[in-house]
Amino acid sequence: MRYLSAPARSVWRWVCRAGSAALERLSANMWSVLQAAIAATAAWIIAGGLVDDHSPFFAPIAAVIALNTVGGERGTNAVRMLLGVVIGIVIGELSIALTGGGYVAMALAIGVAMTIAVAVGAARLVIAQSAAGAILTVAFAGGQVGLSRLTDALIGAGVALVMSQLLFPTRPTTRLRRIETAALVEIVGLLDATGRALEEDEDPSLRTVDRLGALSRPMADLSRAQENSHRSVRWTTARWSSPEPLRYEDERVDRLIILGESCLSLARTAAAMDPSERRRIAPVVCEMAAVLDVLADDLGDRDARQRAVDLVLDVARPFGEDKVGDPVTAATHLSVQMVATDIMLFAGLEPERAAQALSGEDEEPKVAHPPREPWLPWPSRGSSSVRSRRLRRRPFRRR
């Protein structure tokens, strides 16, 4: 590297970062790609064996389309795709019967099929598939392609449902933790940028605003993933396993959203302080970012959670003893304690224990081990109580 020119070193660093990001994306999505390949091959073999004189090109396409989404939406995607195909084929056949085919039939079929899909409030996938089904049905006026497409869609969607709901149901807790980690990384970036701006005597508000856009996406992903996880538990074999890991992680999502708001409040109050007070609070904001970075390294590790609690208590406890007259400084000190409390709650401490730890009543609070998600979605043999069976049957209620 030292023999390269400055532009060459910049290019090399960019290549290394891009390569590392690509490997991370491959690692995160390789299992989904493998499942889609298996499902597409199985759908193609089944459709080719069931229907004579037929090229089953749409069956594997249907399977891949149905599985090409996040874990909790794969079954929904299969049903949406099938609904769109049915609408398109039925409207296409009716338009041929009314007009005899041609350009008029094509325009009528596409317009009516998409109008019906929009009118019933269907998703974008249903609208697109209804238009595609109408186009293929009218383009091949005999209707064989439309009917064979329906058969392929049924087979592809069926294979996708078996893969996503029975054989390889999604692991909602693992997915939630992955999105929580992404949100934590963005919160770390927000606090770190604020702390550096305070150290450099700049206006922290500008850097905070720059980081808000990056923070809003993972926060929105958290809420969406939470709902998808509930749907996944209701409609897959994951509903038969212990609900405790997902209940625990569901509460962590709520805690993380509140933590993001308290970190934003700390950034805003710190930006309003006097320059001398800013330089004093700057290392505290950076230390809070470092604590969250410890959590983001491994959310499933109890030791990482415990280390984060110990570190944040060392940072925040002195601010409970300071009595200041300036209201902005007092608000900033309160924000530091709020962030510390929210970090402890997110790490797994109960509210009472977190308050005692922050006040010094509990010198060494201990974080419990987070419940582990079972690898297989089926219940263990030892759980036979009536209450356990009742919990497994309906782990979550619709909100």
Side-chain angles (χ1 to χ4, degrees), residues 74-93:
R74 293 186 299 178
T76 306
N77 230 32
V79 176
R80 286 171 177 170
M81 181 204 60
L82 191 59
L83 175 61
V85 171
V86 171
I87 292 174
I89 291 173
V90 171
I91 298 302
E93 293 288 353

Side-chain angles (χ1 to χ4, degrees), residues 6 9 92 128 169 173 213 215 219 237 239 287 316 330 349 370:
R9 285 196 297 270
T173 300
L215 180 60
M219 286 301 178
T237 50
R239 71 200 297 266
E287 287 173 7
L349 284 183

Side-chain angles (χ1 to χ4, degrees), residues 284-305:
V284 175
V285 176
C286 292
E287 287 173 7
M288 288 293 187
V291 170
L292 292 177
D293 200 30
V294 170
L295 273 175
D297 281 341
D298 189 357
L299 284 178
D301 183 22
R302 183 259 175 194
D303 292 337
R305 293 174 183 250

Side-chain angles (χ1 to χ4, degrees), residues 277 280-281 319 322 324 328-337:
E277 292 293 335
R280 183 185 173 217
I281 205 70
F319 287 89
D322 286 350
V324 294
V328 177
T329 303
T332 305
H333 290 188
L334 180 60
S335 294
V336 170
Q337 292 190 299

Side-chain angles (χ1 to χ4, degrees), residues 357-374:
L358 194 59
S359 63
E361 297 178 23
D362 189 349
E363 292 291 337
E364 296 182 355
K366 298 299 180 183
V367 176
H369 286 275
R372 296 185 179 275
E373 184 179 35

